[in-house]
Amino acid sequence: MRLTQEKPDLSAYLAADEAVDHHHPLVRETAATLAKASVDTYAYARAAFEFVRDEIPHSQDAGRMEVTWRASDVLRERTGICVAKSHALAALLRAEDIPTAFCYQRLRDDNTSGYSLHGLVAVRLDGAWHRQDPRGNIPGVVDAQFRLGEERLAWPVDPESNEVDYPVLYAEPSPVALRVLKEARDRLHLWQIYPSEL
């Protein structure tokens, strides 16, 4: 799949906003800790990915009811759904001047017999964009890994099932997903109002 930048200027993919609050002290502290143990930019990007993937459980997997959406809140509460975890990873990467985009998939949702919007990120390294999925692994089901080149996402799309890989690299989080994260009273309510597509 050919990825397309929404905005031509890479500085847009380094910006902070209300969801990607990479100037927040907790984001800066976490980034500094990860950077201290990393020998180069690639090692830092991988460490940030693995931290969000492994140390911040997906709310559904952990049985957590609170809904987080701001990167600093995801780091503080140590939980979030895929979209919220992508905000946290983007903030950690942008905090160290690594351009990061938001990417989305439309996937089948076995819980609703419909579809659900899935959030991930793309990181700009070695002169190209590489999608990464910090959703969180599930033994025997999900095995997402940090890769440049060949992707290892949580779920590859199945076009025959009308699943979609959106090719646009967004500089800001999806307004549709962000709105429902903010409105949701808890995770059960979130699943009732969660979008099926962009």
Side-chain angles (χ1 to χ4, degrees), residues 25-185:
L26 180 55
V27 177
R28 302 301 305 176
E29 178 185 325
T30 305
T33 299
L34 293 169
K36 190 181 295 187
S38 301
V39 297
D40 58 21
T41 301
Y42 172 85
Y44 174 81
R46 182 176 179 167
F49 167 82
E50 291 176 350
F51 175 81
V52 174
R53 183 194 65 190
D54 300 340
E55 301 300 324
I56 301 174
H58 188 285
S59 303
Q60 179 79 26
D61 299 347
R64 301 277 295 270
M65 296 305 293
E66 63 266 50
V67 176
T68 55
W69 59 271
R70 185 179 285 120
S72 57
D73 293 338
V74 174
L75 295 177
R76 185 183 67 249
E77 298 299 327
R78 295 291 177 122
T79 194
I81 67 164
C82 58
V83 174
K85 290 182 66 164
S86 72
H87 299 169
L89 179 55
L92 290 173
L93 293 169
R94 290 180 180 189
E96 291 295 314
D97 295 321
I98 299 172
T100 307
F102 296 96
C103 308
Y104 299 93
Q105 297 173 314
R106 177 184 184 245
L107 300 174
R108 280 177 303 167
D109 186 342
D110 295 332
N111 295 323
T112 66
S113 300
Y115 294 90
S116 185
L117 188 66
H118 179 62
L120 48 151
V121 304
V123 59
R124 180 95 178 167
L125 290 172
D126 294 342
W129 289 102
H130 308 275
R131 292 192 307 168
Q132 312 296 330
D133 194 339
R135 181 235 178 262
N137 288 340
I138 303 171
V141 179
V142 176
D143 184 28
Q145 300 295 326
F146 186 84
R147 295 280 191 271
L148 302 187
E150 183 181 349
E151 293 182 337
R152 186 81 170 271
L153 306 179
W155 292 286
V157 301
D158 177 9
E160 291 184 9
S161 298
N162 292 319
E163 294 184 334
V164 176
D165 255 329
Y166 294 103
V168 177
L169 300 166
Y170 295 97
E172 299 169 353
S174 161
V176 174
L178 195 55
R179 178 181 53 78
V180 298
L181 287 172
K182 290 178 178 181
E183 289 178 3
R185 296 183 299 272

